[in-house]
């Protein structure tokens, strides 16, 4: 059972999606839920079907005190590395909140202080706290939507299905067609890769 609030009123949860992908942005969500928020379906986005995530998103958006989603794209990921890009995406999502959070719950074990606001990193927090689970659903649905959009531009990589993750299908397409502007050039795109022509 997910817990609602941890310590404070107007506590924000934040999480990212797409950290392990070969293509596309890393996307973060941040959300402040009402103190009395309850939802029997909400869970870590990875434990939910795509249909349930899509059903939850408008509920979360309409009932949240405030929410925000931010993409950090490939060039910035390549410039500052994926860990820093993930944290930057969370910071930018927090920047987008209309209500300043009193405390921040972060999924995972790495974060950098945000303004003067206290935070706590919680490993597998998206399976423990509603606000982090809600942020994970927002991050995942917005990122999936973006990947489906760029799939239309480069259908041979089947990003609509694999979302940019390093599946066999995706790597086979890289071998055949090379890299696109959406691929992360700093990532090891192929297991046998030493260098790859861009």
């Amino acid at each position: 059972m997910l817990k609602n609030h941890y310590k404070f009123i107007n506590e924000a949860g934040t999480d990212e999606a797409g950290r392990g992908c070969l293509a596309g942005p890393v996307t973060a969500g941040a959300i402040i839920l009402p103190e009395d928020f309850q939802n029997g379906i909400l869970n870590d986005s990875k434990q939910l079907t795509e249909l349930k995530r899509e059903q939850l998103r408008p509920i979360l958006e309409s009932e949240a005190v405030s929410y925000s989603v931010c993409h950090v794209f490939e060039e910035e990921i390549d410039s500052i590395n994926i860990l820093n890009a993930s944290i930057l995406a969370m910071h930018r999502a927090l920047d987008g909140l209309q209500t300043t959070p009193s405390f921040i719950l972060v999924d995972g074990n790495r974060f950098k202080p945000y303004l003067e606001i206290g935070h706590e990193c919680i490993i597998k927090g998206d399976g423990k706290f509603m606000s982090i689970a809600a942020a994970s659903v927002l991050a995942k649905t917005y990122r999936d939507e973006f990947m489906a959009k760029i799939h239309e531009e480069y259908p041979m990589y089947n990003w609509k299905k694999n979302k940019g993750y390093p599946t066999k299908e995706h790597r086979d397409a890289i071998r055949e067609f090379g890299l696109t502007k959406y691929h992360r050039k700093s990532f090891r795109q192929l297991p046998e890769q030493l260098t790859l022509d861009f």
Side-chain angles (χ1 to χ4, degrees):
M1 181 75 177
L2 296 181
K3 297 178 190 172
N4 194 348
H5 279 267
Y6 186 52
K7 292 179 178 174
F8 302 99
I9 297 171
N10 284 340
E11 194 172 67
T14 187
D15 195 8
E16 51 72 28
R19 192 166 156 177
C21 295
L22 302 179
V26 62
T27 304
I31 189 166
I32 299 172
L33 292 172
E35 271 193 281
D36 58 352
F37 181 82
Q38 293 295 327
N39 186 287
I41 301 170
L42 182 60
N43 200 347
D44 167 12
S45 65
K46 295 182 287 297
Q47 305 299 319
L48 298 170
T49 63
E50 185 172 0
L51 178 62
K52 283 188 174 172
R53 289 194 298 267
E54 293 297 336
Q55 288 172 338
L56 275 167
R57 179 168 139 185
I59 295 168
L60 296 173
E61 291 177 346
S62 66
E63 295 196 25
V65 173
S66 184
Y67 74 91
S68 172
V69 179
C70 174
H71 299 301
V72 170
F73 291 97
E74 308 75 36
E75 282 187 8
E76 208 160 8
I77 293 169
D78 290 336
S79 170
I80 63 175
N81 80 42
I82 187 60
L83 173 62
N84 286 324
S86 298
I87 294 169
L88 179 63
M90 290 191 274
H91 278 209
R92 287 181 180 165
L94 290 162
D95 287 343
L97 293 174
Q98 299 298 306
T99 301
T100 303
S102 55
F103 194 76
I104 303 162
L105 296 178
V106 183
D107 185 58
N109 62 356
R110 303 290 290 276
F111 194 65
K112 294 175 184 174
Y114 176 77
L115 303 179
E116 300 292 315
I117 301 167
H119 72 269
E120 185 163 347
C121 294
I122 300 160
I123 295 169
K124 297 187 177 172
D126 46 7
K128 297 173 182 173
F129 291 99
M130 281 196 174
S131 61
I132 302 179
S136 81
V137 168
L138 292 180
K140 175 75 174 145
T141 54
Y142 275 83
R143 189 180 186 282
D144 285 358
E145 190 173 80
F146 181 84
M147 295 307 293
K149 186 173 131 189
I150 63 172
H151 166 87
E152 303 302 322
E153 202 175 337
Y154 294 98
M156 65 283 274
Y157 299 93
N158 203 10
W159 290 330
K160 193 170 185 180
K161 182 181 177 189
N162 64 49
K163 309 300 192 284
Y165 281 94
T167 60
K168 181 181 183 300
E169 171 190 49
H170 189 183
R171 284 188 151 144
D172 285 347
I174 291 169
R175 285 189 190 94
E176 185 174 353
F177 303 106
L179 299 183
T180 68
K181 62 187 178 184
Y182 296 112
H183 282 97
R184 301 173 185 177
K185 309 302 190 290
S186 59
F187 275 46
R188 191 178 179 193
Q189 297 283 341
L190 299 173
E192 68 276 16
Q193 172 185 333
L194 292 174
T195 60
L196 199 60
D197 293 332
F198 303 138

